[in-house]
């Protein structure tokens, strides 16, 4: 039985590999994320096929960041495909432009706060203001909500703080950086287990390699779904 709180990240090389993963998962998974890594490998076509031929929900993870007019135009084009979620950087002017581009459609705009692969040392190298990451993420989330974001992308470690914001009422929290117990962290630095992420206030969790790199991806997904059923 599927549970769309689980979004499987198809971070594979191309659309053929992505279709293979989706076929192996079958009806176990209803929601997929397709990102920049597959953009030149047929990712948009794969997203369209999964959405309109297989009835799956699609999270297009493009993290748009540009001047307002460009973001608005790009989002308007994406909105025509009838996908479910799209990411943009969480700067308020970017969020406002994206919402304008998505107006009149069901596409939900998710604002990226701080990437889950970043820690404080990374923020220092990027000249991001000093302070605790959780405080920065929470502030960026609040500003993104005020700019009209339908939801935010944040690590499970910040989900509870974001959920407590007055601005978060009725908004989505989507958490990458989720790893089943004992899984390799890969390039993620701020992580939690699936159950902890949902209990902290996340609406959806995003998991990729622990599922599609598993010897039996369907069994790996089913184990995660069984864990989600406890929260």
């Amino acid at each position: 039985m599927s549970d769309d709180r689980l979004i499987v990240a198809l971070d594979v090389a191309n659309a053929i590999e992505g279709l293979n993963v989706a076929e192996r998962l079958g009806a176990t998974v209803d929601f997929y994320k397709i990102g920049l890594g597959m953009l030149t490998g047929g990712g948009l076509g794969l997203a369209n096929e999964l959405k309109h031929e297989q009835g799956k929900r699609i999270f297009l993870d493009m993290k748009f960041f540009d001047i307002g007019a460009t973001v608005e135009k790009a989002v308007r084009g994406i909105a025509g495909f009838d996908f479910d979620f799209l990411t943009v950087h969480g700067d308020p002017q970017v969020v406002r432009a994206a919402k304008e581009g998505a107006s009149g459609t069901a596409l939900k705009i998710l604002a990226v706060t701080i990437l889950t692969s970043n820690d404080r040392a990374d923020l220092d190298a990027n000249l991001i203001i000093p302070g605790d990451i959780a405080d920065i993420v929470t502030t960026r989330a609040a500003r993104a909500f005020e700019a009209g974001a339908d939801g935010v992308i944040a690590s499970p470690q910040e989900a509870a703080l974001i959920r407590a914001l007055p601005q978060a009422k009725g908004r989505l929290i989507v958490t990458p950086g989720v790893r089943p117990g004992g899984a390799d962290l890969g390039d993620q630095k701020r992580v939690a287990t699936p159950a902890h992420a949902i209990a902290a206030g996340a609406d959806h969790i995003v998991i990729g390699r622990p599922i599609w790199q598993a010897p039996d991806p369907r069994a790996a997904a089913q184990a995660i779904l069984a864990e989600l059923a406890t929260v």
Side-chain angles (χ1 to χ4, degrees):
M1 185 175 180
S2 64
D3 181 339
D4 74 358
R5 291 181 296 176
L6 171 63
I7 301 176
V8 173
L10 292 176
D11 296 328
V12 293
N14 54 54
I16 294 174
E17 291 187 25
L19 271 177
N20 180 260
V21 172
E23 287 171 4
R24 295 181 71 183
L25 291 170
T28 305
V29 173
D30 278 340
F31 213 153
Y32 287 99
K33 179 179 86 74
I34 295 173
L36 281 171
M38 205 199 288
L39 188 61
T40 58
L44 198 56
L46 173 62
N48 205 42
E49 181 169 345
L50 290 174
K51 175 72 177 182
H52 298 290
E53 295 185 25
Q54 298 191 28
K56 305 297 186 181
R57 299 184 71 191
I58 296 297
F59 167 12
L60 203 62
D61 188 19
M62 295 289 107
K63 299 182 180 71
F64 287 151
F65 181 59
D66 211 311
I67 63 171
T70 299
V71 169
E72 181 181 339
K73 184 176 180 180
V75 172
R76 183 168 288 114
I78 293 295
F81 287 90
D82 194 31
F83 298 143
D84 298 273
F85 295 171
L86 174 70
T87 50
V88 302
H89 275 259
D91 305 57
Q93 73 275 14
V94 175
V95 172
R96 284 191 289 268
K99 284 295 293 179
E100 185 63 30
S103 63
T105 76
L107 179 66
K108 294 191 181 300
I109 299 300
L110 305 181
V112 177
T113 53
I114 299 292
L115 296 175
T116 53
S117 59
N118 285 353
D119 57 18
R120 185 62 253 180
D122 295 313
L123 300 192
D124 291 340
N126 295 338
L127 303 180
I128 303 298
I129 61 171
D132 182 73
I133 287 183
D135 292 338
I136 296 171
V137 167
T138 306
T139 300
R140 282 179 62 80
R143 292 181 181 180
F145 288 143
E146 290 164 0
D150 299 294
V152 295
I153 306 292
S155 92
Q157 296 181 10
E158 294 100 33
L161 294 172
I162 294 171
R163 181 56 66 204
L165 290 170
Q167 300 95 325
K169 185 177 181 180
R171 310 296 178 93
L172 296 167
I173 299 174
V174 179
T175 58
V178 176
R179 290 289 184 269
D184 182 5
L185 298 186
D187 56 3
Q188 301 292 347
K189 296 177 180 176
R190 304 189 334 273
V191 302
T193 64
H196 282 121
I198 295 296
D203 296 284
H204 300 274
I205 59 171
V206 180
I207 304 178
R209 284 164 289 188
I211 292 177
W212 57 258
Q213 285 185 342
D216 185 342
R218 185 177 299 195
Q222 288 171 337
I224 292 167
L225 293 173
E227 181 178 336
L228 292 183
T230 67
V231 291

